[in-house]
Amino acid sequence: MSHEEQLQALRKYLKVRNKRYTVERESILELISDIEGRFSIVDLYQKAKKRNMVHAASTLYRNIYTFVDAGFLTEIRLREGETVFESNLNNKSEFMLCVGCGRLVRIDLPALEGLENRICKEYKFTPTSRVYQLRGYCEDCNA
């Protein structure tokens, strides 16, 4: 998805939810589209601060779940209450999460993509992101 398409998707989401489009939200979108891998809200704030994009951590805390709800981010709750996020803008988020040790294993599900395309076509639905998460126990934790 190009940056312009990302901006259009954000504007559409905010309009449907009767929320304002702000420069800060655009900056957050730019930040999350550049980040790869998992990150905490503290990591995101540090990157924003380095780039002079967001001046207050409260801006991120107030807006982070807007991006989760819009499908731009996946929230991953690890063991012991730790929460990290992952951008859905650059990759599809498909993984298995061990709730015992917190190990995250990426999985590739091409069959799921075919099913997604068929369902979207049938219901005339335009997806913006996809998250597939299996939670359970890895081989080591099962032992």
Side-chain angles (χ1 to χ4, degrees):
M1 183 184 290
S2 73
H3 183 65
E4 188 56 41
E5 290 171 322
Q6 293 170 0
L7 286 173
Q8 287 175 353
L10 177 60
R11 286 184 182 118
K12 185 176 182 177
Y13 173 82
L14 294 170
K15 184 177 181 180
V16 167
R17 296 278 192 267
N18 286 327
K19 294 183 177 189
R20 289 183 323 134
Y21 182 83
T22 63
V23 174
E24 290 83 5
R25 286 179 174 152
E26 183 174 336
S27 295
I28 294 169
L29 178 64
E30 187 176 326
L31 276 172
I32 64 175
S33 67
D34 290 344
I35 293 179
E36 291 185 23
R38 292 185 281 176
F39 59 90
S40 69
I41 194 145
V42 173
D43 298 331
L44 188 62
Y45 176 67
Q46 290 170 347
K47 288 182 188 291
K49 192 95 167 139
K50 280 182 186 175
R51 293 163 92 176
N52 288 326
M53 296 178 110
V54 176
H55 300 290
S58 61
T59 301
L60 290 174
Y61 282 97
R62 277 193 319 271
N63 284 286
I64 195 79
Y65 287 100
T66 296
F67 289 89
V68 171
D69 292 341
F72 294 114
L73 290 175
T74 297
E75 176 185 28
I76 304 168
R77 293 182 185 244
L78 303 173
R79 61 190 170 118
E80 299 172 12
E82 183 184 358
T83 300
V84 294
F85 299 91
E86 187 172 71
S87 174
N88 296 328
L89 298 172
N90 300 321
N91 60 328
K92 293 183 175 145
S93 197
E94 301 163 342
F95 54 89
M96 294 184 297
L97 174 66
C98 178
V99 295
C101 66
R103 193 171 111 202
L104 189 71
V105 178
R106 291 215 166 278
I107 53 178
D108 184 26
L109 297 172
L112 188 61
E113 194 167 309
L115 178 62
E116 174 189 296
N117 292 337
R118 213 170 60 239
I119 291 169
C120 289
K121 185 176 181 178
E122 181 180 336
Y123 290 96
K124 296 179 176 87
F125 187 79
T126 304
T128 56
S129 66
R130 161 176 102 202
V131 177
Y132 183 78
Q133 181 181 138
L134 286 174
R135 297 172 76 87
Y137 293 96
C138 69
E139 183 178 12
D140 294 339
C141 290
N142 271 328

